[in-house]
């Protein structure tokens, strides 16, 4: 192989590597998006978005007072802010669409950027999230909690 051919091959490889790197960076930036000012809210599941309801999520005894449980498959978090009061919200953080992780001391926490939300209202209590978690409809009958 001549020196000119080696140089051309090296340049072609560099071009491919740079193009792949640029595409990867663009994909990463798009995933972290939210530059439209919505805080990533477009990826948040809204109430009545076609998820099938009717299945029992949990027993009331499974939801601790002042705490809650995240149901990852249904993308919902159920809380019990005070004794006998049950609330449900989308488990998708309104900042960048991460799944919230846990509920302790009436605070729902997103592990990605440490946004926190009030377990009674879904309102953000610490950023970077600025939008509340959308409410989800649940039904409590007897000791069963059902996603509507």
């Amino acid at each position: 192989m001549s020196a000119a051919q080696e140089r051309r091959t090296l340049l072609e490889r560099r071009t491919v590597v740079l193009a792949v790197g640029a595409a990867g960076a663009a994909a990463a930036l798009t995933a972290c998006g939210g530059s439209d000012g919505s805080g990533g809210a477009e990826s948040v599941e809204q109430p009545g978005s076609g998820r099938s309801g009717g299945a029992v999520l949990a027993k009331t005894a499974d939801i601790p007072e002042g705490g809650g449980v995240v149901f990852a498959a249904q993308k919902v978090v159920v809380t019990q802010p005070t004794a006998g009061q049950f609330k449900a919200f989308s488990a998708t953080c309104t900042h960048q669409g991460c799944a919230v992780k846990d509920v302790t001391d009436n605070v729902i926490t997103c592990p990605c950027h440490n946004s926190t939300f009030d377990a009674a209202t879904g309102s953000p209590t610490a950023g970077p999230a600025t939008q509340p978690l959308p409410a989800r409809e649940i039904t409590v009958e007897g000791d069963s909690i059902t996603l509507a």
Side-chain angles (χ1 to χ4, degrees):
M1 188 182 287
S2 73
Q5 288 174 325
E6 285 180 37
R7 208 172 303 128
R8 186 178 316 127
T9 300
L10 181 60
L11 288 174
E12 289 172 357
R13 286 182 185 159
R14 285 183 182 168
T15 302
V16 169
V17 170
L18 288 173
V20 169
L29 290 174
T30 300
C32 292
S35 63
D36 63 352
S38 68
E42 68 277 359
S43 65
V44 175
E45 178 180 337
Q46 297 297 316
S49 65
R51 294 241 182 246
S52 61
V56 174
L57 281 176
K59 299 292 183 187
T60 55
D62 297 335
I63 312 298
E65 185 178 344
V69 176
V70 176
F71 297 92
Q74 292 83 6
K75 296 183 180 180
V76 67
V77 56
V78 177
T79 65
Q80 185 178 187
T82 60
Q85 178 191 34
F86 297 92
K87 301 284 184 167
F89 305 97
S90 168
T92 304
C93 181
T94 56
H95 173 238
Q96 287 189 343
C98 293
V100 298
K101 184 166 177 89
D102 63 350
V103 185
T104 306
D105 297 328
N106 282 318
V107 176
I108 302 167
T109 304
C110 177
C112 292
H113 299 102
N114 297 317
S115 289
T116 58
F117 302 87
D118 183 280
T121 65
S123 296
T125 55
T130 59
Q131 298 296 315
L133 296 173
R136 296 288 306 271
E137 189 176 337
I138 55 171
T139 303
V140 180
E141 289 185 26
D143 67 346
S144 295
I145 300 172
T146 306
L147 186 60

